[in-house]
Amino acid sequence: MSRCKRCNRPLKNGESIVRQYGFTFWKRHLDELEQEFLKNQLTIFDVLGAENHEEMRAQNVL
């Protein structure tokens, strides 16, 4: 029998078995993935090295 990767409880639902997480922990897993994505996401200001968007606006870049 398949078990949840997070809590090790037996999984009964076919969809849960495929994704290897129970319903509750699947939602938490998705939230954690989203937070990780947002933490690593770059903005145009990061790429261009601007201190803030007002600096770029003053240079007529925006």
Side-chain angles (χ1 to χ4, degrees), residues 11-22:
L11 298 172
K12 300 173 186 170
N13 181 301
E15 197 173 317
S16 294
I17 292 170
V18 169
R19 60 182 183 222
Q20 298 179 352
Y21 286 94

Side-chain angles (χ1 to χ4, degrees), residues 44-59:
I44 189 70
F45 305 112
D46 295 330
V47 173
L48 296 177
E51 292 295 320
N52 59 41
H53 69 280
E54 295 299 327
E55 176 184 321
M56 293 185 74
R57 198 170 282 182
Q59 298 172 0

Side-chain angles (χ1 to χ4, degrees), residues 1-26:
M1 177 171 257
S2 223
R3 295 193 168 268
C4 177
K5 281 183 159 183
R6 187 100 176 225
C7 67
N8 206 32
R9 289 185 180 166
L11 298 172
K12 300 173 186 170
N13 181 301
E15 197 173 317
S16 294
I17 292 170
V18 169
R19 60 182 183 222
Q20 298 179 352
Y21 286 94
F23 180 75
T24 301
F25 289 118
W26 178 247

